[in-house]
Amino acid sequence: LHGLGRTEGQERSRELLRRVGLTDAAKRRVGTYSGGMKRRLDLASALVHRPSVLFLDEPTTGLDPVSRKAIWEEVAELNDEGTTVFLTTQYLEEADQLADRVGIISSGRIVAEGTPASLKAEVGKPRLELALAAGSEVDCAGVLERHGKLLPARDGKLIVEVEGGASEIAPVVRDLDEAGIQVESLDLVEPTLDDVFVHITGGRLLEDPA
């Protein structure tokens, strides 16, 4: 179908089976394959003619974490090699991991589009969530305010927005230590595409994010 002769076709088949990790199953009937193996075979079939543009429609839906990770790695490698990949997915983590640009579609229209970083920046900044060590009565609001906007405490944790994200952790820890404030835990929480989805839709069910 793709204009390959028998010899070239066999060579390309072996190459693609190696690429998607199915060499050991090459002699088996496809009906005996697991769901993850079938998805990898689907991907290999789509690569026979070395496409410059590849459309993948929910390639990891229903797969176990190991199979999903294998597909992610292959898609990322294809993109690094120069193939443009259009990926539709219900998994926003997948879009965040793989996509250079993300579009969220509702009723046939794109309601949000941009890089994962730019979309996440629209709904909030990274924040540090801190729990003071037991017995620590020191008011640390003044220290934290040097680094960003204080947000309402939640679940016993102090929360401060930090523009610089991970780069702010060390200065915050240093200032707290110098103030004699003991911290039991400190977590950096960054906005996710899930937050973007909820922000845009107000929690309404949309079509697949793409």
Side-chain angles (χ1 to χ4, degrees):
L1 290 173
H2 293 300
L4 300 178
R6 178 179 295 273
T7 299
E8 185 181 2
Q10 290 175 345
E11 291 176 354
R12 182 65 173 152
S13 295
R14 286 192 292 268
E15 174 189 341
L16 289 170
L17 288 171
R18 283 195 302 272
R19 177 161 197 163
V20 298
L22 291 176
T23 299
D24 291 342
K27 301 296 184 182
R28 286 171 49 185
R29 297 179 67 87
V30 176
T32 68
Y33 282 14
S34 67
M37 294 168 72
K38 289 178 180 178
R39 294 295 174 85
R40 283 185 275 157
L41 182 61
D42 286 341
L43 181 58
S45 299
L47 300 177
V48 170
H49 61 303
R50 296 182 173 86
S52 58
V53 179
L54 180 64
F55 288 82
L56 296 175
D57 184 18
E58 300 185 9
T60 63
T61 298
L63 296 185
D64 63 85
V66 174
S67 297
R68 183 177 300 160
K69 183 174 183 292
I71 295 290
W72 284 15
E73 291 173 349
E74 189 57 41
V75 170
E77 186 174 343
L78 284 168
N79 190 236
D80 289 342
E81 292 172 356
T83 300
T84 298
V85 180
F86 285 84
L87 173 71
T88 63
T89 179
Q90 299 182 52
Y91 301 116
L92 292 172
E93 179 190 4
E94 184 167 80
D96 201 355
Q97 289 281 337
L98 297 176
D100 294 318
R101 292 189 65 79
V102 173
I104 296 178
I105 300 173
S106 175
S107 301
R109 295 179 179 274
I110 294 178
V111 295
E113 183 179 6
T115 65
S118 67
L119 289 173
K120 289 183 286 187
E122 291 179 10
V123 300
K125 299 180 178 66
R127 62 187 186 271
L128 287 177
E129 298 187 356
L130 306 95
L132 297 182
S136 179
E137 304 297 337
V138 181
D139 181 7
C140 65
V143 176
L144 296 178
E145 284 175 340
R146 301 175 202 163
H147 299 275
K149 177 183 177 182
L150 277 178
L151 301 177
R154 184 174 59 203
D155 298 328
K157 292 187 176 181
L158 301 169
I159 303 174
V160 58
E161 285 188 340
V162 285
E163 191 80 38
S167 65
E168 290 288 333
I169 295 177
V172 170
V173 170
R174 183 169 56 248
D175 284 356
L176 290 171
D177 185 59
E178 290 176 355
I181 300 170
Q182 297 182 0
V183 176
E184 182 178 88
S185 67
L186 184 152
D187 298 302
L188 176 66
V189 180
E190 302 202 35
T192 67
L193 287 182
D194 289 308
D195 298 324
V196 175
F197 183 89
V198 172
H199 176 75
I200 291 171
T201 68
R204 297 188 310 275
L205 182 63
L206 297 190
E207 296 173 15
D208 298 339

